[in-house]
Amino acid sequence: MTRARKELVSLDDTPYYHCSTRCVRRAFLCGKDRYTNQDYEHRRAWVVERLAQLADAFSIEVAAYAVMSNHYHVVLRVDRDAANGWSRDEVIERWRKLYCGSLLVQRYAAKQPLSPAELDAVDKDVAIWRERLCDISWFMRCLNEYLARRANAEDGCKGRFWESRFSSQALLDDIALLACMTYVDLNPIRAGMADSPENSDYTSLQARLGIQPQTAITPSSEALSAQQSEGQKSPALPLMPFAGQISEVANASMTNAIPFSLADYLALVDWSGRAVRDDKRGSIPGNLPPILQRLQIAPEQWLKASSGIEKNFTYAIGPIAKLSELCEALNRRWLRGQRACEQLYRRYSHA
């Protein structure tokens, strides 16, 4: 049974969430449709461009992403404290990057005089917008609605574009975050679309390496003219940074950094990609990344988890104690995927 998003999201337990959405039509979101021979590869850039716009407005950071042929993945971090610290003017400025706002807010932004009652009405709008700007549902709504409208306009059709509402998974600790980011960045390899992480177009790992997608598409003339007429430039997508060393988790959390070094992460993704691509779950390669030993994760369980995030886990990933806390916060008795979590969080053994 479909559950309300508030029954699946608890920012008090974790700010990290993995979200994904799939298309409903046979015509692809991106890539080349083998049935019609139409090429939608240029739409990959739409997703990244829109993510950049939303990250510039919302108090939500992007840790990882992958744009596939008929779906996409994002790993998000919600910074509710930052949103609560915004001034009235900053909330209005951020919201108006996406929407015009009410007439009263437009008058306020234009420095026109307002009565005390009108200012109270503006503050009520600001309170609503402040909540929305740190809400995953609103972030995904602004992303999916924009993509659906633009794709439907290009296809000259109407109707539903997405299969259903987006799915979300709570990432309850650093291991869950690392496994999910690896799963997202390795999506093109598992789908046979790329032979290495650095050649996986439109993924966050490729962007972190500073490599341009081989299928990069320049903005359309319509998009360029619209930007020039508005005097705007599409912002680059800022990705969450990595911390220096895994032992500096406390300092990393203070700066909203991913609590691992980028070098460790790159080595882990490369190792995981080779193991998954070569189907070596039963025979683990010898160059085991040290990060797995530090986290005390068995390599077999790591490969099983990082290649089956959506299949093995449903609503949350984390140790059993944190799953219990999340269930209590969401007023749930249990969450699917508990057995998979038990297996992932077994202590590392050389046996």
Side-chain angles (χ1 to χ4, degrees), residues 10-32:
S10 174
L11 296 182
D12 292 331
D13 290 279
T14 178
Y16 288 100
Y17 290 86
H18 166 228
C19 304
S20 63
T21 310
R22 294 181 179 274
C23 291
V24 70
R25 299 203 307 256
R26 186 174 66 183
F28 290 172
L29 163 66
C30 305
K32 188 172 183 180

Side-chain angles (χ1 to χ4, degrees), residues 1-126:
M1 181 179 68
T2 302
R3 293 185 176 271
R5 192 66 59 181
K6 64 181 180 181
E7 298 182 21
L8 303 175
V9 174
S10 174
L11 296 182
D12 292 331
D13 290 279
T14 178
Y16 288 100
Y17 290 86
H18 166 228
C19 304
S20 63
T21 310
R22 294 181 179 274
C23 291
V24 70
R25 299 203 307 256
R26 186 174 66 183
F28 290 172
L29 163 66
C30 305
K32 188 172 183 180
D33 188 339
R34 63 179 181 273
Y35 295 100
T36 64
N37 289 325
Q38 289 184 302
D39 193 347
Y40 300 103
E41 195 67 38
H42 59 284
R43 292 180 179 174
R44 295 184 189 275
W46 295 0
V47 182
V48 180
E49 290 170 3
R50 186 59 173 176
L51 280 174
Q53 294 171 357
L54 297 179
D56 188 49
F58 280 75
S59 184
I60 295 178
E61 300 170 283
V62 179
Y65 69 85
V67 185
M68 305 297 288
S69 295
N70 61 356
H71 68 285
Y72 68 85
H73 297 268
V74 288
V75 177
L76 305 174
R77 182 189 185 278
V78 183
D79 194 345
R80 184 169 54 184
D81 292 338
N84 290 336
W86 291 339
S87 65
R88 173 202 292 166
D89 289 353
E90 187 170 1
V91 172
I92 291 175
E93 179 184 359
R94 286 174 174 270
W95 185 257
R96 295 190 74 225
K97 291 178 180 180
L98 305 172
Y99 300 98
C100 294
S102 64
L103 292 176
L104 280 178
V105 170
Q106 293 180 41
R107 288 175 55 195
Y108 175 86
K111 308 297 183 182
Q112 297 180 9
L114 299 178
S115 67
E118 290 174 327
L119 283 175
D120 286 342
V122 170
D123 285 336
K124 290 181 180 178
D125 284 341
V126 168

